[in-house]
Amino acid sequence: MKTRYSDALIVHGDHPSRVALPLATPEAVRAQVSVLFTSLEAIQGEDTSDRDARKRQEEHIRGVLDWLWHAVTGPVLRHLGIPATPAPGRRPRVWWIPTGLLSFLPLHAAQRQDTHGRPDAGGALDRVVSSYSPTLRSLSFSRRPQPAGHDRLLVVSTAATPGHAALPATRRETARLEALPVAKTVLIRDAATRDRVLSALAEHSWAHFACHATTDTAYPSRSALVLHDHDSAPLRVSDIVTARPTDAKVAYLSACSTAQGAALFPDEGIHITSAFHLAGYRHVIGTLWPVDDHPAGRITRDFYRGAGTAEGLSAESAAPALHSAVLDARRRMPGHPSVWAAHVHVGA
């Protein structure tokens, strides 16, 4: 019986092409997803003083990134003829539209290892600025011309929510956002309710959420951002998709697993990040898995530095700003991909 494998469909110019991915069999993809999430669960539940245990789990994740490079990302980038070390600031853009269980893996962070298991130079982060899209149609829609206008930033922050762990770093994160030179509305603590947030989204072109998130693996439309009134009125995917703000540009979701779909419906691509994209946001920043709030806060800080201008914020800088922030995180913690490989950009 012939072994099944995957293909990558390359849409570049007027002539689509196909790249065979013989290593990316359904069984191999499933195995890598299992390794990744088993390691992440071990990291989240481990004794933080056991550095050797953490190191072993991070090595497993680096093995997943190595497999991704050889099985998926490397063949695609070689087909496109993208050099190993393009000049910083001039890296080309690539949009990934993974399907099935492959959507759980960080294609943008694929990186081969040398014979000693150490990260080698020339991975995906060193070659391209990666983005994701649920479909080609949604990508085409998000790249439509958008009228210029004055930006307004909505900041929603819940450092302490009943039934959930405290997020102390969100207070510092919120303070940095309040200092940005742009008109803004800040909803914190008991002001951060579903109805107030949905109403405010219509009046702001940028939205930043610093909070917890929940993923419903059985009914992905019930996945939600955890606000003050989460128990009685959760802000679900179904609410976000129907919000349809008229001047939506950028949504930054500083929360756990907002770009993680439901394992029972891997082909549907329904999660909190895609909901904001489908609601009309051209750029959405999300995470594939939980990240500690302190390192995530530093990535957030670096993102807004990269997206900032003397006049305010630049939506068109969202993808390169996140890419730069993740690269900086990798330089600081090269042996901890669980921290820097989670963040993704979805959209134009």
Side-chain angles (χ1 to χ4, degrees), residues 148-174:
H150 295 291
D151 288 323
R152 289 182 57 84
L153 169 65
L154 172 65
V155 180
V156 181
S157 177
T158 55
T161 307
H164 297 269
L167 298 171
T170 61
R171 295 186 177 90
R172 188 182 306 112
E173 187 173 316
T174 302

Side-chain angles (χ1 to χ4, degrees), residues 6-8 19-25 28-29 32 64-76 78 102 107 110:
S6 302
D7 290 304
V19 176
L21 306 174
L23 297 179
T25 65
V29 172
Q32 295 300 320
V64 173
L65 300 186
D66 178 74
W67 180 87
L68 274 175
W69 175 260
H70 291 289
V72 183
T73 308
V76 169
R78 282 194 297 272
L102 197 60
L107 297 174

Side-chain angles (χ1 to χ4, degrees), residues 238-267:
S238 54
D239 300 312
I240 296 164
V241 169
T242 57
R244 300 290 180 182
T246 57
D247 191 30
K249 292 182 180 179
V250 179
Y252 193 112
L253 310 180
S254 185
C256 292
S257 307
T258 57
Q260 183 185 120
L264 297 178
F265 304 96
D267 288 317

Side-chain angles (χ1 to χ4, degrees), residues 202-285:
E203 303 169 356
H204 298 78
S205 53
W206 286 60
H208 182 97
F209 289 82
C211 59
H212 282 291
T214 61
T215 299
D216 192 319
T217 58
Y219 300 97
S221 63
R222 296 181 182 177
S223 297
L225 292 171
V226 178
L227 305 182
H228 178 74
D229 57 347
H230 177 74
D231 289 342
S232 59
L235 180 59
R236 290 174 170 160
V237 160
S238 54
D239 300 312
I240 296 164
V241 169
T242 57
R244 300 290 180 182
T246 57
D247 191 30
K249 292 182 180 179
V250 179
Y252 193 112
L253 310 180
S254 185
C256 292
S257 307
T258 57
Q260 183 185 120
L264 297 178
F265 304 96
D267 288 317
E268 294 188 6
I270 300 175
H271 45 68
I272 300 169
T273 298
S274 66
F276 275 91
H277 182 56
L278 294 173
Y281 287 87
R282 292 165 58 90
H283 308 271
V284 188
I285 311 302

